[in-house]
Amino acid sequence: MAKQPMLKFVTVERDMPTKRDADVRNKDFDEIYAEYATAKAEEQASRCSQCGVPYCQSHCPLHNNIPDWLRLTATGRLEEAYNVSQATNTFPEICGRICPQDRLCEGNCVIEQSGHGTVTIGSVEKYITDTAWEKGWVQPVQPNSERSESVGIIGAGPGGLAAADRLRRAGVQVTVYDRYDRAGGLLTYGIPGFKLEKDVVMRRIDQLEQGGVTFKMNCTVGEDISFADIRAAHDAVIIATGVYKTRDLSGPGSDAAGIVRAIDYLTCSNRLSFGDTVAEFESGELNAAGKKVVVIGGGDTAMDCVRTAVRQGAESVKCLYRRDRANMPGSQRETQNAEEEGVVFEWLAAPKGFEGNPVSGVQVQRMRLGQPDASGRQSPEVIEGADYLEDADLVIKALGFEPEDLPTLWGEPELEVTRWGTVKAEFTTGATAMDGVYAIGDIVRGASLVVWAIKDGRDCADAIVDRFNNTAAVAAE
Ligand SMILES: Cc1cc2nc3c(=O)[nH]c(=O)nc-3n(C[C@H](O)[C@H](O)[C@H](O)COP(=O)(O)OP(=O)(O)OC[C@H]3O[C@@H](n4cnc5c(N)ncnc54)[C@H](O)[C@@H]3O)c2cc1C
Ligand code: SF4
């Protein structure tokens, strides 16, 4: 078993200033930071070779025009860079912060491929749009003219919000329904504030409201309002509800107190950062302070849990994953960040059962990787006789999410779903088999990425506007 190093808080922020020059010593921090950030962004942007085969662009789900905004940034033309960047991306500063760039744009930069280190595309994108906010270039949507058609969007996550923004730009009337009290979906209550500051999300919600989007919060479709009523109230409906059903653990003791769901743990922590009082935190149930925390899972949600537990002052934090490091689904960059903060990873380790109620330990079985399964991934197999007990007084289940059963919950058997329970929709437009009903984001793709939800929202909105235009043209004939 690996020894637990001291937990420490490491701020890992690329492109932060690392030193102060003599000639700027007398200025205050913000000003110094701004100068370094500009210099760094320009320096990074000027490293782009304008290679002419922009793999970065083709590997960005939004096909952002990266070489163009890098060229404009390199020459100090930031407002133009912002205009190019926001033309394809509704939330560039959010993607700049939380896209797994190593798997997308940056991982495919030709400079990276030639071994000289990628242009830090995400950081430059974040910098351009943060500057645009500071300078007042980001303004609420003002459509050239209003249209009479309305769209109801179920779900205020990045998919629903991107669609809302794009539809308002075309003058469509938009109402967003969401069961939470705050909009943003997983941007608000899933992803921790140390990766994505909450004011960065909230200023976008304000901007959308000021641009004419109506939000109906604390409104659970299927309980407070029926899907049929929403359909009847609008010319089109977009389902953007994400996936929230937690994959569960089995084994003796798995229902003991102290074994909690990742989504509850992260939502609680995010609520605290808004200043909310959360009873489960006050009672200690969702508070890692002073505890031996074991997180089960190897994806990005698990990484967010371990890093949140470190910040809450856990005594120790361990992560159990049944495959090895090379086969984990989470980002390598985040895993490294977690290790630097003192999190210990137990690779090839899976829970077999739990001791105590409240939980006091996890019975762990050692695994090895066997033959590849139908998907080509090597299946984990138990090594008999190698079990051990891992002390734990808080166990967080981070095994992934599945879609809720929408046809049943909403009494809509016509709503077609795949065998995984995701809503069946065309990937390019979001159109489902139900007339005027579209679906986007995680509820179609399964647990995915913010940037894909934004792409779906953008493309679906364009398809709906095309449909409205065609209907209007036919009516005018
Ligand atoms: C912990 C965690 C960390 C993540 N980190 C990253 C990351 O770093 N980078 C990244 O790219 N992706 C990350 N992801 C994935 C990313 O957050 C999702 O892919 C993305 O948010 C999906 O967007 P969405 O709009 O489809 O759904 P969501 O963001 O899930 O939003 C769905 C919304 O629908 C609402 N809703 C659901 N059902 C109903 C109903 N019946 N009635 C009314 N409203 C309803 C919900 O309240 C929610 O607000 C992370 C996910 C998790 C769980
Ligand atoms: S949206 Fe994401 S993938 Fe696309 S350029 Fe920005 S950081 Fe890279």
Side-chain angles (χ1 to χ4, degrees):
M1 213 185 310
K3 192 169 168 287
Q4 175 93 45
M6 189 132 70
L7 296 181
K8 61 180 182 227
F9 210 0
V10 180
T11 308
V12 182
E13 170 73 49
R14 293 172 308 156
D15 292 356
M16 282 287 281
T18 53
K19 64 182 180 65
R20 296 180 173 209
D21 281 340
D23 55 345
V24 293
R25 202 164 280 141
N26 295 327
K27 300 181 184 175
D28 70 18
F29 177 79
D30 286 346
E31 204 177 331
I32 293 165
Y33 174 72
E35 279 184 21
Y36 273 110
T38 308
K40 192 79 184 170
E42 285 179 10
E43 179 211 310
Q44 277 297 315
S46 63
R47 291 182 62 234
C48 173
S49 65
Q50 299 289 324
C51 59
V53 281
Y55 292 124
C56 56
Q57 184 168 2
S58 55
H59 286 82
C60 163
L62 295 162
H63 288 188
N64 282 341
N65 198 338
I66 300 165
D68 275 5
W69 47 254
L70 287 177
R71 196 179 57 240
L72 290 164
T73 306
T75 50
R77 291 159 65 186
L78 274 188
E79 189 165 2
E80 290 162 84
Y82 164 69
N83 284 327
V84 175
S85 152
Q86 63 85 44
T88 48
N89 190 353
T90 324
F91 307 124
E93 75 283 24
I94 293 178
C95 292
R97 283 170 166 82
I98 54 148
C99 268
Q101 286 100 5
D102 49 346
R103 285 188 260 151
L104 301 170
C105 52
E106 293 180 12
N108 291 281
C109 166
V110 291
I111 299 179
E112 168 78 2
Q113 312 252 317
S114 64
H116 293 93
T118 180
V119 174
T120 57
I121 297 166
S123 296
V124 177
E125 188 179 30
K126 164 182 177 287
Y127 171 71
I128 294 169
T129 318
D130 281 348
T131 306
W133 275 99
E134 266 169 42
K135 302 269 184 199
W137 303 333
V138 185
Q139 288 296 321
V141 172
Q142 278 188 320
N144 290 336
S145 61
E146 294 291 343
R147 302 183 65 122
S148 60
E149 300 96 337
S150 80
V151 175
I153 300 176
I154 309 172
L161 296 180
D165 177 76
R166 196 82 167 186
L167 287 165
R168 278 304 296 143
R169 284 175 198 276
V172 175
Q173 310 310 308
V174 178
T175 303
V176 181
Y177 303 82
D178 200 290
R179 64 182 167 199
Y180 284 146
D181 54 344
R182 293 185 180 94
L186 291 171
L187 300 178
T188 299
Y189 285 137
I191 301 171
F194 58 83
K195 275 167 62 183
L196 175 60
E197 310 92 300
K198 298 304 152 184
D199 55 340
V200 168
V201 182
M202 289 304 127
R203 69 184 175 188
R204 280 291 179 186
I205 313 294
D206 292 345
Q207 183 214 8
L208 287 168
E209 253 181 328
Q210 287 161 18
V213 176
T214 302
F215 286 93
K216 288 201 189 296
M217 304 309 295
N218 296 306
C219 177
T220 302
V221 176
E223 288 177 20
D224 301 309
I225 185 170
S226 71
F227 180 71
D229 283 347
I230 292 186
R231 231 182 139 191
H234 299 284
D235 299 289
V237 177
I238 302 176
I239 303 170
T241 49
V243 289
Y244 283 88
K245 200 166 96 187
T246 299
R247 288 199 191 113
D248 221 339
L249 284 170
S250 53
S254 56
D255 55 357
I259 304 178
V260 303
R261 302 187 317 161
I263 193 71
D264 297 334
Y265 178 67
L266 294 172
T267 303
C268 166
S269 164
N270 279 314
R271 280 197 177 283
L272 296 173
S273 66
F274 281 104
D276 295 355
T277 304
V278 183
E280 293 83 358
F281 183 79
E282 303 294 318
S283 72
E285 188 185 335
L286 295 177
N287 184 355
K291 291 186 179 162
K292 295 188 186 80
V293 178
V294 170
V295 176
I296 298 170
D300 287 335
T301 302
M303 297 312 112
D304 288 344
C305 290
V306 292
R307 300 186 68 199
T308 301
V310 170
R311 282 158 179 76
Q312 285 184 345
E315 183 187 322
S316 64
V317 184
K318 292 202 171 178
C319 182
L320 304 186
Y321 180 55
R322 63 194 180 132
R323 290 190 165 90
D324 60 4
R325 185 181 193 127
N327 285 287
M328 69 180 293
S331 138
Q332 293 294 333
R333 191 191 283 166
E334 289 213 34
T335 309
Q336 193 188 332
N337 291 344
E339 281 176 331
E340 284 166 359
E341 290 169 6
V343 174
V344 170
F345 286 83
E346 294 289 348
W347 307 111
L348 294 161
K352 183 179 182 182
F354 301 87
E355 303 260 315
N357 189 6
V359 71
S360 58
V362 184
Q363 297 151 1
V364 184
Q365 49 194 358
R366 281 282 171 204
M367 316 294 283
R368 66 172 156 247
L369 292 180
Q371 294 302 312
D373 62 15
S375 71
R377 286 180 90 194
Q378 282 179 284
S379 306
E381 294 169 353
V382 175
I383 303 175
E384 296 299 341
D387 297 359
Y388 69 92
L389 185 69
E390 186 75 67
D391 287 346
D393 37 26
L394 176 63
V395 176
I396 304 175
K397 301 181 273 189
L399 299 155
F401 300 97
E402 287 169 359
E404 289 159 307
D405 180 1
L406 292 187
T408 305
L409 286 172
W410 292 353
E412 292 286 346
E414 262 182 74
L415 184 66
E416 283 186 53
V417 292
T418 64
R419 66 191 162 107
W420 299 280
T422 48
V423 173
K424 261 191 195 171
E426 279 179 19
F427 270 119
T428 45
T429 62
T432 70
M434 286 173 100
D435 190 36
V437 176
Y438 296 75
I440 58 172
D442 280 6
I443 191 59
V444 175
R445 295 176 180 274
S448 177
L449 292 174
V450 168
V451 66
W452 283 111
I454 294 172
K455 182 208 181 283
D456 287 354
R458 181 190 75 183
D459 294 355
C460 176
D462 290 351
I464 291 175
V465 172
D466 280 350
R467 175 192 161 110
F468 289 163
N469 287 340
N470 290 340
T471 310
V474 170
E477 273 173 12

